[in-house]
Amino acid sequence: MPFLPFAASPAILRRAPARLAMAVAMALASAAACAQQIGADNVPPPQDTPYPGTVTLHVDANDTAQGIFRVHETIPVKPGELTLLYPQWIPGDHSPTGPIAMLAGLKLSAGGKPLMWKRDKYNVFAFHVDVPGGISSIDAQFEYLSGRTDSQGFEFTDRMMDMEWSKVSLYPAGYFTRGITYAASITLPRGWQFGTALETASQSGDTTTFKPVTFNNLVDSPVYAGQYFKRVDLTPSGGAPVHLDIVADEPKYLEMTPEQLKVHRALVTQAVSLFGSHHYDHYDFLFSLSDQLSGNGTEHHQSSEDGLGADYFTAWKEAAPDRDLLAHEYTHSWNGKFRRPADLWTPNFNVPMGDSLLWVYEGQTQYWGFVLTARSGMWSAQEFRDAMAMVAANYERNREGFQWRTLEDTTNDPTVARRMPLPYRSWQMSEDYYSGGQMMWLQVDAKLRELTHDKKSLDDFARAFFGVENGSYITKTYTFEDVVAALNGVAAYDWASFLHSRVDVLNPPLADGIAATGWKLVYTDQPSEYEKEYNSRAQSPRHMYNLAWSIGLTMGEKGQVNDVRWDGPAFKAGVSTGATIMAVNGQDYSDDVLKDAIAAAKTGKAPIQLLLKYQGSFRTISVDYHDGLQYPHLVRIEGKPDYLSEIIAPRK
């Protein structure tokens, strides 16, 4: 999925619905962070020693009508002070977004008698309790309350659910999560089926008990379940098992054509061919096709949470955008889960993460997500080029924020902005390490090909860096210096300076990679078919009219301005995000009326007149813009090697 002009970047949208909506949870998390600067919490630091005994955790997920997960834990304990933690720093979110506000009804007991708990003064994710003498285990009960409206985001509908164990569990402080063993079970609505990376130990009616795993592996293994379910085998020849576990709003949305099955299998084959390894015993794409539970995407080591519109298969021909979702999250099994930036590895889920290398973790994953989507045939070569043109145009015209921020500084955005809506995204920017990083890695790929006379490429880096230790899924961390050394192992060059000149400077030359691959960015007055689909998909979370590269606006339906390009023509005229365009040159607003006015102004001297409504007031402004409609495309540079076509050619 290309970078969204004036909107959330690709993987942000994928994770948006259940997380963006939790404003209360974010506020509490922010308050906790501020409080911890004022006073120290009373939470034991994690130690790398095994926790004695096994925690049993049961989740009753039967309540499809009200969306309530009912949780019961039995925790082995010793008499004395005990601190229980609710996960705060969630892997894949890169920020302290644990939805603590959705936890309710917490009760602790021992031997049937209630125990009083007290929340930590400076850490709202920590609960303290005194365990009486003679007690060897305590029980914890609470509810996790799933969002129930579009604005809150859905994790539970009447037909399916996405359950993340981090949201439905407490764990004892003072230990690495890899040292705490959990035996988890779940009760589902009658007749529902599920997919997960966890392995089943036993089945009794609608209750499934899973084999015990460490807590870090449990949190890394969500459960998708639904009334309408289908499991599709994508296992490559001679490889570890890979499955697509689909839950859908209706049975008809589960059906795949032979060609669709072929390209999804090719995705797995191409990824394993790229990296030359796998880092899982088995892998499950957990895939929801729904008009409610969509827009999600989070990486895990042996699975991924993926969600798109219900008509993913049935509207295949007109829905190329979003198809890179599966490739992106699958790539994370290698880049992000197996190999992870050293400052993103933490001993438990309440120690702050560092995001400084997200331009590798997410940026290169964004790059391979596009490439593998094309190599597998899920995109045509033209669709790939059109998607890249939109990304490149964003970094040629629409990222004024690089005048004051570096690409590396945007790695702080998961914590700074918490993926909440922003009024002027082109100036504030938001997690540009995704698509900005993608553009940088395109340049790296082109440079490697140039240095080696097209004998080596970023494929060689991927195999050497992410493909090591085949079969292992014990996290292997890396630093900036490790990345530089691996690049030098492919082709000697001053890679440290090359990377710094794009990551650590203002106005980095991120759009230069297109020309380095034998193509150039041009603009015409007609959008590509890909961009038409990208903007018009009713099922898309971003349904909008995109005039970002001309007048500098994007609009939602009915003329509401959802972003204004900073210092662009509309901005200079005084258009505000949140305003609604009521009329254009005296005519009722429609998308076509505005586009016709922009086209007409190219040959005329009169400015475009917009009647705006904002907060109950009306005003007319004049936009002095005369360059016509502008839509990005890629065209070949004659006489230069066509690296871009080589990059997306399928590997054998």
Side-chain angles (χ1 to χ4, degrees), residues 523-567:
Y523 297 86
T524 74
D525 61 0
Q526 294 297 320
S528 66
E529 288 302 313
Y530 179 95
E531 185 169 354
K532 289 178 183 177
E533 295 172 13
Y534 184 86
N535 293 335
S536 65
R537 290 273 292 150
Q539 291 82 6
S540 169
R542 62 174 169 272
H543 183 60
M544 66 180 184
Y545 302 116
N546 181 12
L547 299 169
W549 300 294
S550 56
I551 196 174
L553 290 176
T554 61
M555 281 84 62
E557 295 183 276
K558 300 181 180 179
Q560 185 172 50
V561 177
N562 59 30
D563 215 333
V564 185
R565 190 176 87 215
W566 192 265
D567 275 344

Short mmCIF file of all heavy atoms in Angstrom, two decimals, residues 523-567:
data_model
loop_
_atom_site.label_atom_id
_atom_site.label_comp_id
_atom_site.label_asym_id
_atom_site.label_seq_id
_atom_site.Cartn_x
_atom_site.Cartn_y
_atom_site.Cartn_z
N TYR A 523 4.04 14.05 -14.21
CA TYR A 523 2.66 14.31 -13.81
C TYR A 523 1.81 14.58 -15.05
O TYR A 523 2.25 15.26 -15.98
CB TYR A 523 2.59 15.52 -12.86
CG TYR A 523 3.32 15.31 -11.56
CD1 TYR A 523 4.69 15.57 -11.47
CD2 TYR A 523 2.67 14.83 -10.43
CE1 TYR A 523 5.38 15.37 -10.29
CE2 TYR A 523 3.35 14.63 -9.24
CZ TYR A 523 4.71 14.90 -9.18
OH TYR A 523 5.39 14.70 -8.00
N THR A 524 0.61 14.02 -15.06
CA THR A 524 -0.35 14.30 -16.12
C THR A 524 -1.67 14.71 -15.48
O THR A 524 -1.82 14.68 -14.26
CB THR A 524 -0.58 13.07 -17.03
OG1 THR A 524 -1.39 12.11 -16.33
CG2 THR A 524 0.75 12.43 -17.44
N ASP A 525 -2.64 15.04 -16.34
CA ASP A 525 -3.94 15.46 -15.80
C ASP A 525 -4.89 14.29 -15.62
O ASP A 525 -6.08 14.49 -15.34
CB ASP A 525 -4.57 16.53 -16.68
CG ASP A 525 -4.84 16.05 -18.10
OD1 ASP A 525 -4.54 14.87 -18.41
OD2 ASP A 525 -5.33 16.86 -18.92
N GLN A 526 -4.39 13.05 -15.75
CA GLN A 526 -5.22 11.86 -15.58
C GLN A 526 -4.61 10.92 -14.54
O GLN A 526 -3.41 10.60 -14.63
CB GLN A 526 -5.38 11.12 -16.90
CG GLN A 526 -6.16 11.88 -17.96
CD GLN A 526 -7.60 12.16 -17.54
OE1 GLN A 526 -8.26 11.29 -16.95
NE2 GLN A 526 -8.09 13.36 -17.86
N PRO A 527 -5.38 10.48 -13.57
CA PRO A 527 -4.84 9.52 -12.59
C PRO A 527 -4.67 8.14 -13.21
O PRO A 527 -5.38 7.79 -14.17
CB PRO A 527 -5.90 9.50 -11.50
CG PRO A 527 -7.17 9.84 -12.21
CD PRO A 527 -6.80 10.81 -13.30
N SER A 528 -3.75 7.37 -12.68
CA SER A 528 -3.61 5.97 -13.10
C SER A 528 -4.82 5.18 -12.64
O SER A 528 -5.57 5.60 -11.75
CB SER A 528 -2.34 5.37 -12.50
OG SER A 528 -2.45 5.29 -11.08
N GLU A 529 -5.02 4.02 -13.25
CA GLU A 529 -6.11 3.15 -12.80
C GLU A 529 -5.91 2.76 -11.34
O GLU A 529 -6.87 2.66 -10.58
CB GLU A 529 -6.18 1.91 -13.69
CG GLU A 529 -6.70 2.17 -15.09
CD GLU A 529 -8.08 2.79 -15.08
OE1 GLU A 529 -8.96 2.29 -14.35
OE2 GLU A 529 -8.29 3.81 -15.78
N TYR A 530 -4.66 2.55 -10.95
CA TYR A 530 -4.36 2.19 -9.57
C TYR A 530 -4.81 3.31 -8.63
O TYR A 530 -5.45 3.06 -7.60
CB TYR A 530 -2.86 1.94 -9.42
CG TYR A 530 -2.44 1.58 -8.02
CD1 TYR A 530 -2.32 0.26 -7.62
CD2 TYR A 530 -2.15 2.57 -7.08
CE1 TYR A 530 -1.92 -0.07 -6.34
CE2 TYR A 530 -1.77 2.26 -5.79
CZ TYR A 530 -1.65 0.94 -5.42
OH TYR A 530 -1.27 0.62 -4.14
N GLU A 531 -4.48 4.56 -8.99
CA GLU A 531 -4.85 5.66 -8.11
C GLU A 531 -6.37 5.85 -8.06
O GLU A 531 -6.93 6.19 -7.01
CB GLU A 531 -4.18 6.97 -8.54
CG GLU A 531 -4.46 8.11 -7.57
CD GLU A 531 -3.61 9.33 -7.80
OE1 GLU A 531 -2.70 9.29 -8.63
OE2 GLU A 531 -3.87 10.34 -7.11
N LYS A 532 -7.05 5.60 -9.18
CA LYS A 532 -8.50 5.68 -9.16
C LYS A 532 -9.07 4.68 -8.15
O LYS A 532 -9.97 5.00 -7.37
CB LYS A 532 -9.06 5.38 -10.55
CG LYS A 532 -8.82 6.47 -11.58
CD LYS A 532 -9.39 6.04 -12.93
CE LYS A 532 -9.10 7.05 -14.02
NZ LYS A 532 -9.60 6.58 -15.35
N GLU A 533 -8.55 3.46 -8.18
CA GLU A 533 -9.00 2.44 -7.22
C GLU A 533 -8.63 2.85 -5.80
O GLU A 533 -9.43 2.69 -4.86
CB GLU A 533 -8.37 1.09 -7.56
CG GLU A 533 -8.79 0.52 -8.90
CD GLU A 533 -7.98 -0.71 -9.28
OE1 GLU A 533 -7.27 -1.25 -8.41
OE2 GLU A 533 -8.05 -1.13 -10.45
N TYR A 534 -7.44 3.36 -5.64
CA TYR A 534 -6.92 3.76 -4.33
C TYR A 534 -7.83 4.80 -3.66
O TYR A 534 -8.08 4.75 -2.46
CB TYR A 534 -5.53 4.33 -4.53
CG TYR A 534 -4.79 4.70 -3.28
CD1 TYR A 534 -4.05 3.77 -2.58
CD2 TYR A 534 -4.81 6.02 -2.82
CE1 TYR A 534 -3.34 4.13 -1.45
CE2 TYR A 534 -4.11 6.38 -1.69
CZ TYR A 534 -3.38 5.43 -1.01
OH TYR A 534 -2.69 5.78 0.12
N ASN A 535 -8.32 5.73 -4.48
CA ASN A 535 -9.11 6.82 -3.92
C ASN A 535 -10.59 6.51 -3.77
O ASN A 535 -11.27 7.13 -2.96
CB ASN A 535 -8.96 8.06 -4.81
CG ASN A 535 -7.56 8.62 -4.78
OD1 ASN A 535 -6.83 8.41 -3.82
ND2 ASN A 535 -7.18 9.31 -5.83
N SER A 536 -11.10 5.60 -4.56
CA SER A 536 -12.55 5.45 -4.64
C SER A 536 -13.12 4.24 -3.94
O SER A 536 -14.33 4.10 -3.85
CB SER A 536 -12.98 5.39 -6.12
OG SER A 536 -12.47 4.20 -6.73
N ARG A 537 -12.28 3.37 -3.42
CA ARG A 537 -12.80 2.16 -2.81
C ARG A 537 -13.66 2.51 -1.61
O ARG A 537 -13.21 3.02 -0.60
CB ARG A 537 -11.64 1.25 -2.35
CG ARG A 537 -10.89 0.62 -3.50
CD ARG A 537 -11.52 -0.67 -3.95
NE ARG A 537 -11.39 -1.68 -2.92
CZ ARG A 537 -12.24 -2.65 -2.73
NH1 ARG A 537 -13.30 -2.75 -3.48
NH2 ARG A 537 -12.05 -3.54 -1.78
N ALA A 538 -14.95 2.20 -1.70
CA ALA A 538 -15.87 2.52 -0.60
C ALA A 538 -15.51 1.76 0.66
O ALA A 538 -15.75 2.21 1.77
CB ALA A 538 -17.30 2.21 -1.01
N GLN A 539 -14.91 0.55 0.49
CA GLN A 539 -14.57 -0.26 1.65
C GLN A 539 -13.27 0.22 2.31
O GLN A 539 -12.90 -0.21 3.38
CB GLN A 539 -14.40 -1.73 1.25
CG GLN A 539 -15.71 -2.40 0.85
CD GLN A 539 -16.07 -2.09 -0.60
OE1 GLN A 539 -15.31 -1.47 -1.31
NE2 GLN A 539 -17.25 -2.52 -1.01
N SER A 540 -12.56 1.11 1.61
CA SER A 540 -11.27 1.54 2.11
C SER A 540 -11.43 2.48 3.29
O SER A 540 -12.33 3.32 3.31
CB SER A 540 -10.50 2.26 1.00
OG SER A 540 -9.35 2.89 1.52
N PRO A 541 -10.53 2.39 4.28
CA PRO A 541 -10.61 3.31 5.42
C PRO A 541 -10.22 4.73 5.05
O PRO A 541 -10.37 5.63 5.84
CB PRO A 541 -9.60 2.70 6.42
CG PRO A 541 -8.65 1.92 5.59
CD PRO A 541 -9.47 1.37 4.44
N ARG A 542 -9.72 4.95 3.84
CA ARG A 542 -9.25 6.28 3.48
C ARG A 542 -10.09 6.91 2.36
O ARG A 542 -9.66 7.88 1.76
CB ARG A 542 -7.81 6.20 2.99
CG ARG A 542 -7.71 5.34 1.75
CD ARG A 542 -6.31 5.37 1.16
NE ARG A 542 -6.23 4.33 0.17
CZ ARG A 542 -5.90 3.09 0.42
NH1 ARG A 542 -5.56 2.75 1.64
NH2 ARG A 542 -5.87 2.18 -0.51
N HIS A 543 -11.23 6.33 2.00
CA HIS A 543 -12.04 6.80 0.87
C HIS A 543 -11.95 8.32 0.77
O HIS A 543 -12.38 9.06 1.65
CB HIS A 543 -13.48 6.36 1.07
CG HIS A 543 -14.39 6.73 -0.06
ND1 HIS A 543 -14.19 6.26 -1.34
CD2 HIS A 543 -15.49 7.51 -0.11
CE1 HIS A 543 -15.14 6.73 -2.12
NE2 HIS A 543 -15.94 7.50 -1.40
N MET A 544 -11.34 8.82 -0.33
CA MET A 544 -11.10 10.25 -0.41
C MET A 544 -10.90 10.68 -1.86
O MET A 544 -10.70 9.86 -2.76
CB MET A 544 -9.85 10.63 0.39
CG MET A 544 -8.55 10.07 -0.16
SD MET A 544 -7.14 10.56 0.84
CE MET A 544 -5.81 9.86 -0.13
N TYR A 545 -10.98 11.98 -2.08
CA TYR A 545 -10.67 12.58 -3.36
C TYR A 545 -9.31 13.26 -3.21
O TYR A 545 -9.13 14.15 -2.38
CB TYR A 545 -11.75 13.56 -3.76
CG TYR A 545 -13.12 12.92 -3.83
CD1 TYR A 545 -14.14 13.31 -2.97
CD2 TYR A 545 -13.38 11.90 -4.74
CE1 TYR A 545 -15.39 12.71 -3.03
CE2 TYR A 545 -14.62 11.29 -4.80
CZ TYR A 545 -15.62 11.70 -3.95
OH TYR A 545 -16.85 11.08 -4.00
N ASN A 546 -8.37 12.86 -4.03
CA ASN A 546 -6.98 13.25 -3.84
C ASN A 546 -6.57 14.30 -4.87
O ASN A 546 -6.42 13.99 -6.05
CB ASN A 546 -6.09 12.01 -3.94
CG ASN A 546 -4.63 12.36 -3.72
OD1 ASN A 546 -4.30 13.45 -3.29
ND2 ASN A 546 -3.76 11.42 -4.03
N LEU A 547 -6.38 15.52 -4.40
CA LEU A 547 -5.85 16.59 -5.24
C LEU A 547 -4.58 17.12 -4.59
O LEU A 547 -4.26 18.31 -4.65
CB LEU A 547 -6.90 17.69 -5.40
CG LEU A 547 -8.20 17.23 -6.09
CD1 LEU A 547 -9.26 18.30 -5.97
CD2 LEU A 547 -7.95 16.86 -7.54
N ALA A 548 -3.84 16.20 -3.97
CA ALA A 548 -2.68 16.58 -3.18
C ALA A 548 -1.58 17.22 -4.01
O ALA A 548 -0.90 18.14 -3.56
CB ALA A 548 -2.12 15.35 -2.47
N TRP A 549 -1.40 16.72 -5.23
CA TRP A 549 -0.26 17.17 -6.02
C TRP A 549 -0.58 18.36 -6.91
O TRP A 549 0.25 18.83 -7.65
CB TRP A 549 0.27 15.99 -6.85
CG TRP A 549 0.70 14.88 -5.95
CD1 TRP A 549 1.76 14.91 -5.07
CD2 TRP A 549 0.08 13.61 -5.78
NE1 TRP A 549 1.83 13.73 -4.37
CE2 TRP A 549 0.82 12.91 -4.79
CE3 TRP A 549 -1.01 12.98 -6.37
CZ2 TRP A 549 0.49 11.61 -4.38
CZ3 TRP A 549 -1.34 11.69 -5.97
CH2 TRP A 549 -0.59 11.03 -4.98
N SER A 550 -1.82 18.86 -6.81
CA SER A 550 -2.18 20.04 -7.59
C SER A 550 -2.54 21.17 -6.63
O SER A 550 -1.67 21.87 -6.13
CB SER A 550 -3.32 19.73 -8.56
OG SER A 550 -4.44 19.19 -7.88
N ILE A 551 -3.81 21.31 -6.33
CA ILE A 551 -4.25 22.41 -5.48
C ILE A 551 -3.80 22.22 -4.03
O ILE A 551 -3.75 23.16 -3.25
CB ILE A 551 -5.78 22.57 -5.59
CG1 ILE A 551 -6.25 23.90 -5.04
CG2 ILE A 551 -6.49 21.41 -4.92
CD1 ILE A 551 -7.73 24.17 -5.27
N GLY A 552 -3.48 20.95 -3.66
CA GLY A 552 -2.98 20.69 -2.31
C GLY A 552 -4.04 20.34 -1.30
O GLY A 552 -3.96 20.75 -0.14
N LEU A 553 -5.03 19.56 -1.72
CA LEU A 553 -6.12 19.16 -0.84
C LEU A 553 -6.41 17.68 -0.99
O LEU A 553 -6.24 17.11 -2.07
CB LEU A 553 -7.42 19.91 -1.20
CG LEU A 553 -7.53 21.39 -0.92
CD1 LEU A 553 -8.85 21.90 -1.45
CD2 LEU A 553 -7.41 21.67 0.57
N THR A 554 -6.87 17.07 0.09
CA THR A 554 -7.58 15.80 -0.02
C THR A 554 -8.90 15.97 0.72
O THR A 554 -8.98 16.65 1.75
CB THR A 554 -6.79 14.63 0.59
OG1 THR A 554 -6.56 14.87 1.98
CG2 THR A 554 -5.47 14.42 -0.13
N MET A 555 -9.94 15.38 0.14
CA MET A 555 -11.29 15.50 0.71
C MET A 555 -11.90 14.14 0.94
O MET A 555 -11.66 13.20 0.18
CB MET A 555 -12.21 16.28 -0.23
CG MET A 555 -12.02 17.78 -0.19
SD MET A 555 -10.67 18.26 -1.26
CE MET A 555 -11.29 17.72 -2.84
N GLY A 556 -12.67 14.05 1.99
CA GLY A 556 -13.51 12.89 2.17
C GLY A 556 -14.78 13.08 1.36
O GLY A 556 -14.89 13.98 0.51
N GLU A 557 -15.75 12.25 1.63
CA GLU A 557 -17.02 12.38 0.94
C GLU A 557 -17.72 13.68 1.36
O GLU A 557 -17.50 14.20 2.45
CB GLU A 557 -17.90 11.17 1.23
CG GLU A 557 -17.33 9.86 0.68
CD GLU A 557 -18.25 8.69 0.92
OE1 GLU A 557 -18.19 8.12 2.03
OE2 GLU A 557 -19.02 8.35 0.01
N LYS A 558 -18.51 14.21 0.46
CA LYS A 558 -19.32 15.41 0.69
C LYS A 558 -18.47 16.66 0.92
O LYS A 558 -18.90 17.61 1.56
CB LYS A 558 -20.29 15.20 1.86
CG LYS A 558 -21.27 14.05 1.64
CD LYS A 558 -22.21 13.88 2.80
CE LYS A 558 -23.17 12.72 2.56
NZ LYS A 558 -24.10 12.51 3.70
N GLY A 559 -17.23 16.63 0.40
CA GLY A 559 -16.43 17.85 0.37
C GLY A 559 -15.71 18.21 1.64
O GLY A 559 -15.14 19.31 1.75
N GLN A 560 -15.66 17.33 2.62
CA GLN A 560 -14.95 17.68 3.86
C GLN A 560 -13.45 17.56 3.63
O GLN A 560 -12.95 16.53 3.17
CB GLN A 560 -15.37 16.79 5.02
CG GLN A 560 -14.71 17.25 6.33
CD GLN A 560 -15.25 16.53 7.54
OE1 GLN A 560 -15.31 15.32 7.55
NE2 GLN A 560 -15.64 17.29 8.56
N VAL A 561 -12.72 18.59 3.97
CA VAL A 561 -11.27 18.62 3.78
C VAL A 561 -10.63 17.83 4.91
O VAL A 561 -10.78 18.18 6.09
CB VAL A 561 -10.75 20.07 3.78
CG1 VAL A 561 -9.23 20.09 3.66
CG2 VAL A 561 -11.40 20.87 2.66
N ASN A 562 -9.92 16.74 4.55
CA ASN A 562 -9.26 15.99 5.61
C ASN A 562 -7.78 16.32 5.74
O ASN A 562 -7.16 15.93 6.71
CB ASN A 562 -9.47 14.47 5.45
CG ASN A 562 -8.95 13.93 4.14
OD1 ASN A 562 -7.99 14.45 3.58
ND2 ASN A 562 -9.58 12.88 3.66
N ASP A 563 -7.22 17.06 4.78
CA ASP A 563 -5.87 17.58 4.97
C ASP A 563 -5.57 18.64 3.92
O ASP A 563 -6.14 18.64 2.83
CB ASP A 563 -4.81 16.48 4.89
CG ASP A 563 -3.66 16.73 5.86
OD1 ASP A 563 -3.41 17.91 6.17
OD2 ASP A 563 -3.03 15.77 6.31
N VAL A 564 -4.69 19.54 4.30
CA VAL A 564 -4.25 20.63 3.43
C VAL A 564 -2.73 20.62 3.39
O VAL A 564 -2.08 20.59 4.44
CB VAL A 564 -4.73 22.01 3.96
CG1 VAL A 564 -4.37 23.11 2.98
CG2 VAL A 564 -6.21 21.99 4.24
N ARG A 565 -2.17 20.62 2.18
CA ARG A 565 -0.71 20.60 2.07
C ARG A 565 -0.13 21.92 2.59
O ARG A 565 -0.50 23.00 2.13
CB ARG A 565 -0.29 20.38 0.61
CG ARG A 565 1.20 20.10 0.47
CD ARG A 565 1.56 19.80 -0.98
NE ARG A 565 1.83 21.01 -1.72
CZ ARG A 565 1.53 21.19 -3.00
NH1 ARG A 565 0.87 20.26 -3.66
NH2 ARG A 565 1.84 22.31 -3.62
N TRP A 566 0.79 21.80 3.53
CA TRP A 566 1.39 22.98 4.15
C TRP A 566 2.09 23.83 3.08
O TRP A 566 2.90 23.34 2.30
CB TRP A 566 2.40 22.55 5.21
CG TRP A 566 2.86 23.65 6.10
CD1 TRP A 566 3.97 24.42 5.95
CD2 TRP A 566 2.21 24.11 7.29
NE1 TRP A 566 4.07 25.33 6.96
CE2 TRP A 566 3.00 25.16 7.81
CE3 TRP A 566 1.06 23.73 7.97
CZ2 TRP A 566 2.67 25.83 8.98
CZ3 TRP A 566 0.73 24.40 9.13
CH2 TRP A 566 1.53 25.43 9.63
N ASP A 567 1.75 25.11 3.04
CA ASP A 567 2.29 26.07 2.08
C ASP A 567 1.91 25.76 0.63
O ASP A 567 2.48 26.31 -0.30
CB ASP A 567 3.82 26.18 2.18
CG ASP A 567 4.24 27.16 3.27
OD1 ASP A 567 3.39 27.96 3.71
OD2 ASP A 567 5.41 27.13 3.67
#
